[in-house]
């Protein structure tokens, strides 16, 4: 590693991380970080990669990028009911610019500090802009919110509102005119795309209450299907209940629906919980300061060999046939 890369790591990452390594026995600077296992807990580990042009545009605000790179990783911990502990950062940069790195690391550490998640290591190299973070968290063995834990009779819930990030992407792509929105609404949409809030507090509050959970990164329709497949159950979802922001409601009804159900980049939690837990779920949402909305129910497969699927209805329980295919979002993988 060249001296300039070494000083870059020291200046923008190691120096700031040092204030934040209470959880690591040994942080940045050696061959490995050393992390003491928390007695009686499992280590929850997740990796997410962000590639320029695929997950963010080349001219993205670096402060927002620093936030989002960590936010999407913390969102995975949240969806597992895990408490964040530490993360690593692998960074490829074409031409390191000081102002860019300063803003990027400000955005990154602002979020890391809020959730007490320490930067404990990484790798830095020259190349097309590419970020890969790995997060580590703790969860008690019987408290992890797994995708295979949904049960027939469970309610289906989501946090926050869905579709806002996709609406913001549509503005950037010129799919709909920005003039549809007041300035504060346009700002709210942009915020949803650039600075998603990982629902860590909600994930922790749902331990022992929710059955299955995941974070919605590829759109509700596709992500809920993962819970159904892993749990071998079916779902009915009332699309009129799916929470949509005031800003999203400025779009035509069919576009709203596509944004909310298949938009992607929401980073809200979708989870199931037994009927008896309704009060407890609402309390968890209130504790976490985020709205939680009941949107449907889990049912048993009619036959064991059936393919798990989602039946969409409107508020009058009328079945809807939705074609959500071909509505491409930012990360089309
Ligand atoms: P190695 O030669 O073992 O790959 P490096 O010289 O790449 O080690 O890194 C030196 C130290 O700096 C290591 O502790 C590594 O974890 C840390 N590090 C490198 N890049 C980053 C980064 N972008 N963020 C945080 N820590 C980093
Ligand atoms: Mg290295």
């Amino acid at each position: 590693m060249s001296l300039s890369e070494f000083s870059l790591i020291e200046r923008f990452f190691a120096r700031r991380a040092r204030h934040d390594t209470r959880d690591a026995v040994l942080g940045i600077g050696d061959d490995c970080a050393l992390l003491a296992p928390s007695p009686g807990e499992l280590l929850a580990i997740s990796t997410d990669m962000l590639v320029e042009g695929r997950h963010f545009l080349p001219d993205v605000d670096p402060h927002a990028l620093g936030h989002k790179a960590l936010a999407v990783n913390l969102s995975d911990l949240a969806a597992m009911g895990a408490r964040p502990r530490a993360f690593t950062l692998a960074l490829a940069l074409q031409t390191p610019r000081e102002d860019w790195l300063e803003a990027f690391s400000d955005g990154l550490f602002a979020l890391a500090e809020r959730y007490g998640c320490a930067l404990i290591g990484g790798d830095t190299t020259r190349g097309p802009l590419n970020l890969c973070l790995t997060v580590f968290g703790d969860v008690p063995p019987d408290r992890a919110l797994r995708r295979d834990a949904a049960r027939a009779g469970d309610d289906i819930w989501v946090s926050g509102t869905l579709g806002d990030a996709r609406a913001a992407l549509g503005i950037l792509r010129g799919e709909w005119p920005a003039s549809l929105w007041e300035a504060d609404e346009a700002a709210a949409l942009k915020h949803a795309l650039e600075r998603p809030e990982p629902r860590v507090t909600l994930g922790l509050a749902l331990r022992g209450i929710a059955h299955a959970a995941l974070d919605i990164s590829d759109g509700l329709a596709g992500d809920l299907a993962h819970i159904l497949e892993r749990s071998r159950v079916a779902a009915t979802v009332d699309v009129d209940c799916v929470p949509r922001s005031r800003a999203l409601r400025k779009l035509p009804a069919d576009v709203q629906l596509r944004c909310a159900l298949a938009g992607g980049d929401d980073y809200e939690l979708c989870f199931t919980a037994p009927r008896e837990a309704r009060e407890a779920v609402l309390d968890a949402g209130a504790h976490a300061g985020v709205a939680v909305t009941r949107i449907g129910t889990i049912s048993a497969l009619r036959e064991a060999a059936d393919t798990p699927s989602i039946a969409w209805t409107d508020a009058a329980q009328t079945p809807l046939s939705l074609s959500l295919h071909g509505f491409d979002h930012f990360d089309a993988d």
Side-chain angles (χ1 to χ4, degrees), residues 1 6 8-9 13-14 27-33 88-91 119-124:
M1 184 173 66
F6 183 77
L8 179 158
I9 294 167
F13 301 108
I28 294 172
D30 214 309
D31 300 310
C32 291
T88 60
L89 166 68
L91 185 63
L119 179 63
I120 56 167
D123 198 23
T124 308

Side-chain angles (χ1 to χ4, degrees), residues 49 51 53-56 166 169 173 217-219 222-223 226 262-265 267 324-333:
M49 186 150 63
V51 176
R54 182 145 198 94
H55 304 98
F56 59 90
R166 183 59 183 82
L169 182 62
R173 285 182 175 170
S217 54
D218 295 333
D223 285 328
H226 296 316
D265 252 10
Y267 302 105
L324 297 167
H325 297 291
F327 192 63
D328 132 69
H329 48 78
F330 215 117
D331 178 13
D333 275 339

Side-chain angles (χ1 to χ4, degrees), residues 179-225:
S179 58
L180 276 179
W181 289 279
E182 308 292 334
D184 64 322
E185 293 168 335
L189 296 178
K190 185 169 155 46
H191 189 89
L193 177 64
E194 292 193 338
R195 295 175 190 273
E197 185 64 28
R199 301 302 183 191
V200 171
T201 313
L202 180 62
L204 293 173
L206 288 172
R207 283 178 175 178
I209 296 170
H211 281 163
L214 50 57
D215 64 322
I216 306 173
S217 54
D218 295 333
L220 174 66
D223 285 328
L224 176 56

